[in-house]
Amino acid sequence: MTHWVPELLAPAGSLEKLKVAVLYGADAVYLGGQKFGLRTAADNFTYAELEEGVEFAHERGAQVYVVLNSFLHDSDLEELPEFLSYIEKIKVDAVIVSDLGVVETVAQNCSIDIHLSTQASCLNSQAALLWKEMGVTRIVLGREVSVAEAAKIKEVSGLEVEMFIHGSMCMAYSGNCVISNFTQGRDSNRGGCAHSCRFEYSLDFSNIDSATHEQKNAYFMSSKDLEGIRVLPEFIKGKIDSLKVEGRMKSPHYAGTISKVYSSALKYYREHGHVLSEQMLEWERELRKITHREYTQASLIKPADATSIYSDREHEQGDYTIAGVVLEVVENDFLLVEVRSAFEEGDDLELVPFDRDSVAFKADFLIETDGERTNRSRPGILLKIPYVEGAKQWNLLRSRDSR
């Protein structure tokens, strides 16, 4: 007997991250083109990359959603129909929108499914019903909604619902923060968010208690990162259709690790009907190997409060960093890897397979493509390193940060 589980939706900030996420278990990925999205600093996809990415995902049973979730002016809308025609032609599965004008433009110009972005901050069933009348087929709910509330919205509206399960959190209702606009002249709702909420601010209490004249600095607007792996049974109980991971700007190591951990947990639930597995501790250890802030469940079960504030400026560092990506496997001979972080001959590395535990091995030799042996790698170069049983193209290699 198998049990129903939600879709796992992973971020794809580049074609490489798309391939990594799909191969490590994501059921669907979301990405941006060169325009109309909110992550202008991401690599974003050219037309050729979009076509290759959709083909790659579909061949492996995964879906592709394109973000059009910026708030557009009339001049932007004029360019949108041409882009819609293209992504419909290459069979993109859905678009993610937040602007009413974009919803209407999509509905008039193509038949692609419309998912409402969390940028629209939909928090209740009446709003969901209104969006349904506009042609929306799925609601990506605001992060302020609990799983129980989301289940109710799904029941009342009859729409698919999607919730964030992992990643960075906004301090404000999504789509309503304009701190970057006024502090740095960057439009946070048109792709220019400067992450101003992560900065240190000065709090002046002198007008509140003139006796102390207290003034202190704090990161009081910065949130811890969301982690919902122990909430999986609640998502499933509520029939939440899709579990979304934030992070198109993050690394292939992040895309691969998150996709592998959550897809493994969902697979375990599908087979056993629960996640009461000794693997839970291992899944949580894996989630701490990627760069992250301290984790919180935010508002998934109860409203987030002061305990969800992250009081440091910098990210916590995971124990590991990506050392490289496997480009070619020559069985029983060597792995050809593209180096991402420098490592040395004799270093301990880990291969991260798609569907089994990581494999530790020692880099006993490093050989450059011209045949010359070297004792230290450099980011960006191609190297031959020792063969590891079971290695496949696009597997990640990682190393400890302690060097």
mmCIF file of all heavy atoms in Angstrom, residues 223-238:
data_model
loop_
_atom_site.group_PDB
_atom_site.id
_atom_site.type_symbol
_atom_site.label_atom_id
_atom_site.label_comp_id
_atom_site.label_asym_id
_atom_site.label_seq_id
_atom_site.Cartn_x
_atom_site.Cartn_y
_atom_site.Cartn_z
ATOM 1 N N SER A 223 14.608 37.340 10.327
ATOM 2 C CA SER A 223 13.975 36.085 10.758
ATOM 3 C C SER A 223 14.925 34.903 10.636
ATOM 4 O O SER A 223 15.803 34.877 9.759
ATOM 5 C CB SER A 223 12.736 35.802 9.895
ATOM 6 O OG SER A 223 12.231 34.509 10.170
ATOM 7 N N LYS A 224 14.740 33.938 11.497
ATOM 8 C CA LYS A 224 15.401 32.647 11.329
ATOM 9 C C LYS A 224 14.874 31.993 10.041
ATOM 10 O O LYS A 224 13.861 32.415 9.484
ATOM 11 C CB LYS A 224 15.101 31.737 12.532
ATOM 12 C CG LYS A 224 15.668 32.241 13.853
ATOM 13 C CD LYS A 224 15.246 31.333 15.004
ATOM 14 C CE LYS A 224 15.755 31.882 16.342
ATOM 15 N NZ LYS A 224 15.268 31.074 17.500
ATOM 16 N N ASP A 225 15.542 30.966 9.584
ATOM 17 C CA ASP A 225 15.105 30.243 8.384
ATOM 18 C C ASP A 225 14.038 29.203 8.729
ATOM 19 O O ASP A 225 14.068 28.607 9.810
ATOM 20 C CB ASP A 225 16.294 29.537 7.731
ATOM 21 C CG ASP A 225 17.234 30.504 7.037
ATOM 22 O OD1 ASP A 225 16.896 31.691 6.917
ATOM 23 O OD2 ASP A 225 18.315 30.063 6.603
ATOM 24 N N LEU A 226 13.146 29.003 7.795
ATOM 25 C CA LEU A 226 12.083 28.011 7.962
ATOM 26 C C LEU A 226 12.619 26.593 7.733
ATOM 27 O O LEU A 226 13.359 26.349 6.778
ATOM 28 C CB LEU A 226 10.963 28.300 6.964
ATOM 29 C CG LEU A 226 9.785 27.322 6.921
ATOM 30 C CD1 LEU A 226 8.997 27.374 8.235
ATOM 31 C CD2 LEU A 226 8.866 27.643 5.741
ATOM 32 N N GLU A 227 12.228 25.675 8.614
ATOM 33 C CA GLU A 227 12.503 24.245 8.410
ATOM 34 C C GLU A 227 11.259 23.481 8.846
ATOM 35 O O GLU A 227 10.843 23.581 10.001
ATOM 36 C CB GLU A 227 13.694 23.768 9.230
ATOM 37 C CG GLU A 227 13.997 22.292 8.984
ATOM 38 C CD GLU A 227 14.742 21.652 10.153
ATOM 39 O OE1 GLU A 227 14.308 21.833 11.308
ATOM 40 O OE2 GLU A 227 15.731 20.969 9.908
ATOM 41 N N GLY A 228 10.667 22.709 7.928
ATOM 42 C CA GLY A 228 9.394 22.072 8.254
ATOM 43 C C GLY A 228 9.395 20.562 8.149
ATOM 44 O O GLY A 228 8.322 19.947 8.021
ATOM 45 N N ILE A 229 10.554 19.946 8.256
ATOM 46 C CA ILE A 229 10.571 18.500 8.004
ATOM 47 C C ILE A 229 9.763 17.731 9.040
ATOM 48 O O ILE A 229 9.120 16.726 8.720
ATOM 49 C CB ILE A 229 12.023 17.969 7.912
ATOM 50 C CG1 ILE A 229 11.995 16.548 7.355
ATOM 51 C CG2 ILE A 229 12.752 18.050 9.267
ATOM 52 C CD1 ILE A 229 13.312 16.070 6.825
ATOM 53 N N ARG A 230 9.745 18.196 10.295
ATOM 54 C CA ARG A 230 8.956 17.482 11.304
ATOM 55 C C ARG A 230 7.466 17.825 11.221
ATOM 56 O O ARG A 230 6.661 17.272 11.953
ATOM 57 C CB ARG A 230 9.500 17.792 12.698
ATOM 58 C CG ARG A 230 10.836 17.080 12.983
ATOM 59 C CD ARG A 230 11.294 17.239 14.408
ATOM 60 N NE ARG A 230 12.548 16.535 14.629
ATOM 61 C CZ ARG A 230 12.638 15.283 15.099
ATOM 62 N NH1 ARG A 230 11.541 14.622 15.423
ATOM 63 N NH2 ARG A 230 13.814 14.707 15.264
ATOM 64 N N VAL A 231 7.114 18.762 10.345
ATOM 65 C CA VAL A 231 5.708 19.117 10.153
ATOM 66 C C VAL A 231 5.115 18.352 8.970
ATOM 67 O O VAL A 231 3.930 18.474 8.661
ATOM 68 C CB VAL A 231 5.566 20.646 9.951
ATOM 69 C CG1 VAL A 231 4.109 21.089 9.955
ATOM 70 C CG2 VAL A 231 6.305 21.402 11.062
ATOM 71 N N LEU A 232 5.926 17.530 8.318
ATOM 72 C CA LEU A 232 5.438 16.812 7.127
ATOM 73 C C LEU A 232 4.110 16.095 7.349
ATOM 74 O O LEU A 232 3.216 16.176 6.493
ATOM 75 C CB LEU A 232 6.503 15.800 6.670
ATOM 76 C CG LEU A 232 7.543 16.281 5.657
ATOM 77 C CD1 LEU A 232 8.490 15.146 5.302
ATOM 78 C CD2 LEU A 232 6.857 16.807 4.411
ATOM 79 N N PRO A 233 3.930 15.362 8.467
ATOM 80 C CA PRO A 233 2.630 14.682 8.655
ATOM 81 C C PRO A 233 1.446 15.642 8.655
ATOM 82 O O PRO A 233 0.357 15.280 8.182
ATOM 83 C CB PRO A 233 2.804 13.997 10.013
ATOM 84 C CG PRO A 233 4.282 13.804 10.155
ATOM 85 C CD PRO A 233 4.886 15.025 9.536
ATOM 86 N N GLU A 234 1.644 16.871 9.161
ATOM 87 C CA GLU A 234 0.552 17.850 9.185
ATOM 88 C C GLU A 234 0.232 18.328 7.765
ATOM 89 O O GLU A 234 -0.935 18.494 7.404
ATOM 90 C CB GLU A 234 0.934 19.041 10.071
ATOM 91 C CG GLU A 234 1.154 18.683 11.528
ATOM 92 C CD GLU A 234 -0.062 18.024 12.150
ATOM 93 O OE1 GLU A 234 -1.186 18.508 11.912
ATOM 94 O OE2 GLU A 234 0.124 17.007 12.847
ATOM 95 N N PHE A 235 1.276 18.576 6.967
ATOM 96 C CA PHE A 235 1.040 18.955 5.562
ATOM 97 C C PHE A 235 0.235 17.861 4.853
ATOM 98 O O PHE A 235 -0.685 18.140 4.087
ATOM 99 C CB PHE A 235 2.372 19.117 4.827
ATOM 100 C CG PHE A 235 3.133 20.375 5.156
ATOM 101 C CD1 PHE A 235 4.346 20.322 5.810
ATOM 102 C CD2 PHE A 235 2.645 21.616 4.782
ATOM 103 C CE1 PHE A 235 5.076 21.469 6.084
ATOM 104 C CE2 PHE A 235 3.360 22.783 5.058
ATOM 105 C CZ PHE A 235 4.579 22.699 5.712
ATOM 106 N N ILE A 236 0.603 16.617 5.098
ATOM 107 C CA ILE A 236 -0.052 15.500 4.404
ATOM 108 C C ILE A 236 -1.480 15.327 4.906
ATOM 109 O O ILE A 236 -2.408 15.124 4.123
ATOM 110 C CB ILE A 236 0.781 14.217 4.596
ATOM 111 C CG1 ILE A 236 2.135 14.387 3.908
ATOM 112 C CG2 ILE A 236 0.043 12.998 4.050
ATOM 113 C CD1 ILE A 236 3.158 13.315 4.238
ATOM 114 N N LYS A 237 -1.641 15.439 6.213
ATOM 115 C CA LYS A 237 -2.989 15.347 6.802
ATOM 116 C C LYS A 237 -3.902 16.425 6.211
ATOM 117 O O LYS A 237 -5.085 16.182 5.957
ATOM 118 C CB LYS A 237 -2.887 15.508 8.321
ATOM 119 C CG LYS A 237 -4.212 15.482 9.053
ATOM 120 C CD LYS A 237 -3.988 15.722 10.551
ATOM 121 C CE LYS A 237 -5.313 15.829 11.302
ATOM 122 N NZ LYS A 237 -5.062 16.153 12.742
ATOM 123 N N GLY A 238 -3.371 17.618 5.980
ATOM 124 C CA GLY A 238 -4.163 18.724 5.437
ATOM 125 C C GLY A 238 -4.288 18.701 3.925
ATOM 126 O O GLY A 238 -4.882 19.588 3.340
#
